[in-house]
Amino acid sequence: MSLSATGSSDTSSRRRRPAEHTQDLPWEHDPQAGHKDKQIHDRLCGGPQTNSTDTPSHHSICPALCTAKCMPGHACPSHHACDDSWEEIQSKRTIRAENEVEANKLVNNYRFGFRKWKSHVTERPFEVRSEVVKELYSELNVIKPYSGHLITCGNVVYVLLFGWWVSLAYFLVTPLMFITITGVPYGKLCWKLSCYFLWPFGKSIHENGNTLRGCCVQAPDCECNIEGTEDNSPVLLPSPTEVLIPELPGRPLHTPYWHRFSTYVWLLLGYPPLVVIHSLACLLSWILVFTIPVFKMNARTLRVILLLAPEDVSVSTCSQRKHQVSETRALLCCYHAANWYYYKYTVDGINVFAVNLLPLVIVAIVIGYIDRENQYASSNVKFAIAICSIIPLSYYIGMGIASISAQSNFAVGAVVNATFGSITELTFYITALLRGHQAANSCLQEVVKAALTGTLLGCILFIPGVCMIIGGLRHSEQRFNSRSTGVSAALLFISVGGVFAPTLFSKAYGNLVCDACTNSTGGNSSSNSSGQFVCHNCHYDLNNGTLFRNHVEPLVYTVSALLPVAYIIGLIFTLKTHSHIYDIHVGEGQVTGHHGAVVHWSRWRSLVILIMATVLTSACADLATEHIQPILNQPNISQYFIGVTVLAMVPEIPEIVNGIQFALQNNISLSLEVGSCIAVQVCMLQIPILVCFNAFYDVGFVLLFSDMHLWASIFSVILVNYIFMDGKSDYFQGTALVVVYLILLAMYYFAPSPAGC
């Protein structure tokens, strides 16, 4: 069946490559389709055809052919039809998903107003994943043929970071166990493990004894193969089921493990220090992410190998094991200590980096609310931890939004995206305004305006620019749906024009007031009224009441009411009346049904996590604003720069990562929509909400921006629309956007501090 993002039953549209692997030229992956499209193009562009009535409508013409192979305009009577066809059909793409929930998530990525999310919201079937990904989740208990080099950069780094001190710990425990006499077998085991952990690569640890896998119980006559079936269970799940089979004739009998005195000597003297060592190694290797194989190696040793009888554990090289036929099973075999692909590793659908950053939230709250006197950490440290803790919370909020939207209809998804999509930024802005109002510090209001402007500049220039550079370096040239991008561009013009309308109005009709003016002779303005004057700290006067209360303030409220209306109209336009602009289809035979999907987070769980993440974000934002003042007091850094960089872009790091991942998969359309979606929400939702909040509880927020904010934002919108005009992107265009962004950051860095700071 074919599902459409718009509910349309039109299945006659020509499909393109999946959205996750969109290419420009469909004949590159389907030669027959390319041949058919060429025939259609020949008919349209005046090729030798016998029956002109067979010419199809322009809605079925391959767009790439119309741009790449169409004849010149004067030779092709339907050349304009070719161009229209490109604009009409380039937006039509077929996406493929494992289940209905995942398909809804992918379709939502193309909808206006929905957060663009790359990570899966359902569990992917393990058997359909690539060998690289399967290797990431291996338990390191399978011996595989390996012919590569063992002396690699990652393995050498392992020796320097982990191997020497883990090996040293076993070396020190060895004489301790020999001294006890009864622990001599464990002392021999520690010596073998000391040599193993110094350089474990190419070696294997096996279990000798009666504990075999269930497959050997079901077929006792089979020969256990050390290169048997892969263990694909995740790292956090227990190892495969083990069963005990009866003693074989002729095997020497041993005292049961838990009936030995030496077992308790080992558990009291030898095992505890090794628990500390391996736990520390697990912690460090997990934090480094790319060394997760070291984590697996230490964790498996701790929970399996060290709890076995010492005579049942043998250490040998993999080449030696190939020549041994005995009743054994592999416990541990590792060839590499590091794998760069572990940036893809997930735990319950959450990226490993977000998992590792989550403890920062607890640390920020504990030291922020307990150490009020800054005895254990300075304000600078507390601010850094608090602002960094917002990164994982933003990721969890994004995951919750995507999960709820994928399991609900588009109306519920639109509401969830509109309410929670900006919750991170709004929480920080409102908290900063409240704290600035309570402390009578107008500087925080200027910092909030700088953060709003910085979010606009980052989403308009930096995010698209970085995605274009990375995507262009990998795919040379990428195409995107210029018509859907034009909708976002139009909304950007409307939103930026509306947000800065009160500023332009005040500059046109306001009175310029300066705090200090001196003439060229050095006197002040009161002693000498002739000559030229040099004035400092000039601003438009808004305190005398007439202009602001009677003209500017009503304009602010009017704009704040119209911008959300424009946002709603944009939703109706793109989701209902003109949804064919996005025209996304789910490929036939790809959806397996909702009931077969195992979602990472259910709707209720997602809602609970959203609420908890919002509360924690509020607490971290409160701590960040509480300890931001020492940062703002730095004499060499402008408060503008802090606002447009740290406060604006740190919460958007998960979105930047999503955009880069889309660009790497040749889906530059979604990469560009990531920034546009955030920028539109800043202008059409976040700023009106701040104005509305200030109307009910006056915190001194006035929707009037400085000249630098005004002209930087307007120039950025004009530039990005010029770049997006042709529907193509490459690394040069991305470089232009990033360079302009860096130039603007340099201007903010060297700008004088705003008034009140």
Side-chain angles (χ1 to χ4, degrees):
M1 95 179 157
S2 179
L3 300 178
S4 173
T6 63
S8 173
S9 60
D10 179 16
T11 59
S12 62
S13 300
R14 188 176 303 275
R15 297 191 202 92
R16 297 185 65 193
R17 188 168 290 195
E20 300 297 331
H21 305 280
T22 305
Q23 299 288 343
D24 301 327
L25 305 179
W27 60 82
E28 289 179 355
H29 63 89
D30 190 354
Q32 294 181 356
H35 177 69
K36 293 177 182 178
D37 289 331
K38 186 177 186 303
Q39 291 178 344
I40 293 172
H41 177 270
D42 290 339
R43 294 186 208 143
L44 178 70
C45 295
Q49 299 295 332
T50 58
N51 188 359
S52 60
T53 59
D54 293 336
T55 303
S57 64
H58 67 276
H59 292 281
S60 62
I61 301 168
C62 178
L65 282 165
C66 288
T67 57
K69 297 196 174 188
C70 195
M71 294 158 49
H74 64 274
C76 179
S78 301
H79 178 71
H80 296 290
C82 287
D83 295 337
D84 294 340
S85 171
W86 163 246
E87 294 296 332
E88 193 71 26
I89 293 182
Q90 65 173 335
S91 60
K92 296 183 180 180
R93 41 181 103 232
T94 299
I95 58 177
R96 306 190 185 279
E98 293 88 356
N99 51 71
E100 185 179 354
V101 176
E102 203 63 40
N104 289 338
K105 191 262 304 184
L106 294 176
V107 170
N108 288 339
N109 283 342
Y110 291 91
R111 287 173 169 164
F112 169 76
F114 282 71
R115 197 160 188 166
K116 320 305 175 189
W117 196 251
K118 178 64 179 66
S119 302
H120 281 69
V121 296
T122 60
E123 294 183 8
R124 299 183 65 188
F126 196 79
E127 59 275 5
V128 303
R129 308 191 76 173
S130 65
E131 292 299 325
V132 174
V133 176
K134 289 180 180 179
E135 183 66 25
L136 301 182
Y137 296 92
S138 171
E139 279 285 347
L140 304 182
N141 59 351
V142 176
I143 300 179
K144 300 178 181 179
Y146 182 77
S147 59
H149 296 286
L150 295 177
I151 302 179
T152 62
C153 181
N155 292 350
V156 173
V157 170
Y158 162 83
V159 176
L160 299 177
L161 293 182
F162 302 97
W164 70 271
W165 55 272
V166 174
S167 176
L168 179 62
Y170 276 99
F171 180 79
L172 296 178
V173 173
T174 298
L176 177 64
M177 298 311 298
F178 273 103
I179 292 174
T180 62
I181 307 299
T182 59
V184 169
Y186 287 100
K188 296 180 180 178
L189 174 63
C190 289
W191 172 252
K192 290 188 291 185
L193 292 180
S194 175
C195 299
Y196 174 82
F197 278 102
L198 184 62
W199 185 266
F201 314 109
K203 303 176 183 178
S204 62
I205 299 179
H206 280 255
E207 179 185 3
N208 306 315
N210 301 324
T211 305
L212 298 176
R213 293 183 180 272
C215 64
C216 291
V217 176
Q218 299 172 2
D221 297 331
C222 72
E223 180 181 352
C224 294
N225 185 7
I226 61 175
E227 297 178 3
T229 306
E230 293 185 18
D231 183 5
N232 294 328
S233 57
V235 65
L236 298 183
L237 296 180
S239 57
T241 306
E242 300 170 355
V243 296
L244 193 66
I245 65 174
E247 293 284 345
L248 297 179
R251 177 182 297 279
L253 297 177
H254 297 287
T255 305
Y257 180 74
W258 295 105
H259 293 175
R260 305 178 188 178
F261 178 72
S262 61
T263 299
Y264 297 97
V265 173
W266 164 251
L267 294 178
L268 289 175
L269 297 179
Y271 187 68
L274 295 178
V275 169
V276 176
I277 293 297
H278 282 296
S279 298
L280 181 60
C282 287
L283 177 63
L284 294 178
S285 57
W286 181 268
I287 291 176
L288 294 176
V289 176
F290 301 107
T291 57
I292 286 181
V294 180
F295 163 82
K296 296 179 181 180
M297 189 163 48
N298 284 272
R300 190 163 184 81
T301 302
L302 190 60
R303 73 174 190 264
V304 177
I305 297 174
L306 295 183
L307 297 179
L308 292 175
E311 66 273 8
D312 290 340
V313 179
S314 63
V315 180
S316 61
T317 62
C318 295
S319 59
Q320 291 175 336
R321 296 304 307 177
K322 292 181 180 179
H323 302 289
Q324 297 181 9
V325 179
S326 59
E327 204 174 282
T328 65
R329 73 181 179 105
L331 296 177
L332 190 60
C333 181
C334 182
Y335 295 105
H336 293 289
N339 189 336
W340 301 114
Y341 287 98
Y342 268 101
Y343 72 89
K344 298 181 178 180
Y345 196 80
T346 60
V347 179
D348 195 22
I350 300 299
N351 186 270
V352 62
F353 288 102
V355 174
N356 287 351
L357 289 175
L358 193 59
L360 281 180
V361 180
I362 301 175
V363 174
I365 292 176
V366 169
I367 67 173
Y369 288 107
I370 293 180
D371 183 25
R372 289 289 187 179
E373 303 299 327
N374 295 340
Q375 296 180 355
Y376 303 101
S378 63
S379 293
N380 294 341
V381 173
K382 291 180 179 179
F383 172 79
I385 297 177
I387 203 71
C388 290
S389 64
I390 295 178
I391 298 175
L393 293 175
S394 299
Y395 184 94
Y396 277 80
I397 290 174
M399 182 70 175
I401 293 172
S403 298
I404 294 177
S405 301
Q407 301 174 69
S408 310
N409 56 47
F410 79 92
V412 174
V415 172
V416 171
N417 277 270
T419 52
F420 287 97
S422 303
I423 197 68
T424 303
E425 296 85 352
L426 283 174
T427 301
F428 178 80
Y429 298 151
I430 292 176
T431 304
L433 291 174
L434 287 172
R435 187 169 295 278
H437 177 68
Q438 294 169 359
N441 184 3
S442 61
C443 185
L444 288 179
Q445 181 189 148
E446 295 299 324
V447 170
V448 169
K449 294 178 183 178
L452 289 168
T453 307
T455 305
L456 274 178
L457 299 178
C459 294
I460 294 174
L461 298 176
F462 182 72
I463 295 180
V466 169
C467 295
M468 283 183 172
I469 292 174
I470 296 178
L473 290 175
R474 183 167 184 175
H475 301 286
S476 182
E477 183 179 271
Q478 296 176 293
R479 295 176 181 267
F480 53 88
N481 187 348
S482 58
R483 186 170 182 188
S484 62
T485 307
V487 174
S488 301
L491 288 172
L492 268 179
F493 268 117
I494 296 172
S495 57
V496 171
V499 166
F500 291 100
T503 303
L504 292 172
F505 185 87
S506 64
K507 293 183 183 302
Y509 296 100
N511 295 321
L512 192 62
V513 178
C514 300
D515 295 338
C517 294
T518 57
N519 59 18
S520 56
T521 60
N524 55 37
S525 58
S526 59
S527 61
N528 188 359
S529 59
S530 63
Q532 295 181 349
F533 290 89
V534 178
C535 299
H536 302 278
N537 298 328
C538 297
H539 57 278
Y540 287 92
D541 186 18
L542 299 175
N543 297 323
N544 55 12
T546 304
L547 178 66
F548 180 74
R549 283 196 295 267
N550 296 341
H551 302 280
V552 177
E553 193 172 35
L555 176 61
V556 169
Y557 292 141
T558 302
V559 168
S560 300
L562 290 176
L563 287 177
V565 173
Y567 184 82
I568 295 174
I569 293 175
L571 288 175
I572 297 174
F573 179 83
T574 55
L575 299 182
K576 282 293 185 182
T577 61
H578 288 67
S579 56
H580 61 275
I581 295 176
Y582 297 90
D583 208 4
I584 310 301
H585 297 273
V586 178
E588 296 178 2
Q590 298 298 320
V591 179
T592 59
H594 181 92
H595 301 289
V598 180
V599 295
H600 292 299
W601 296 356
S602 64
R603 276 177 288 207
W604 283 108
R605 181 183 179 185
S606 301
L607 182 60
V608 171
I609 291 177
L610 273 177
I611 296 174
M612 292 178 59
T614 302
V615 173
L616 292 175
T617 301
S618 177
C620 293
D622 179 66
L623 292 172
T625 55
E626 179 182 354
H627 298 283
I628 196 177
Q629 197 58 47
I631 307 295
L632 298 179
N633 292 336
Q634 295 290 331
N636 299 325
I637 302 178
S638 172
Q639 287 81 358
Y640 283 139
F641 181 78
I642 297 173
V644 299
T645 54
V646 178
L647 304 183
M649 297 308 295
V650 167
E652 309 302 338
I653 288 179
E655 303 297 332
I656 297 174
V657 174
N658 281 330
I660 292 174
Q661 288 179 325
F662 285 131
L664 287 174
Q665 294 188 341
N666 202 17
N667 199 347
I668 194 65
S669 294
L670 288 184
S671 299
L672 302 182
E673 289 291 337
V674 166
S676 298
C677 180
I678 300 174
V680 169
Q681 284 193 345
V682 167
C683 294
M684 293 190 167
L685 292 180
Q686 294 180 20
I687 290 179
I689 290 175
L690 292 177
V691 172
C692 183
F693 177 80
N694 186 80
F696 287 97
Y697 185 83
D698 189 5
V699 291
F701 180 75
V702 180
L703 194 62
L704 296 176
F705 293 85
S706 67
D707 289 351
M708 184 174 294
H709 296 333
L710 171 66
W711 301 119
S713 300
I714 293 177
F715 174 74
S716 299
V717 172
I718 295 174
L719 174 64
V720 78
N721 277 274
Y722 175 77
I723 294 290
F724 292 169
M725 191 177 299
D726 60 351
K728 302 176 185 178
S729 71
D730 49 51
Y731 73 89
F732 176 76
Q733 293 178 332
T735 303
L737 294 178
V738 173
V739 168
V740 171
Y741 177 74
L742 295 178
I743 291 174
L744 293 177
L745 289 189
M747 292 173 58
Y748 280 109
Y749 182 84
F750 294 106
S753 299
C757 294

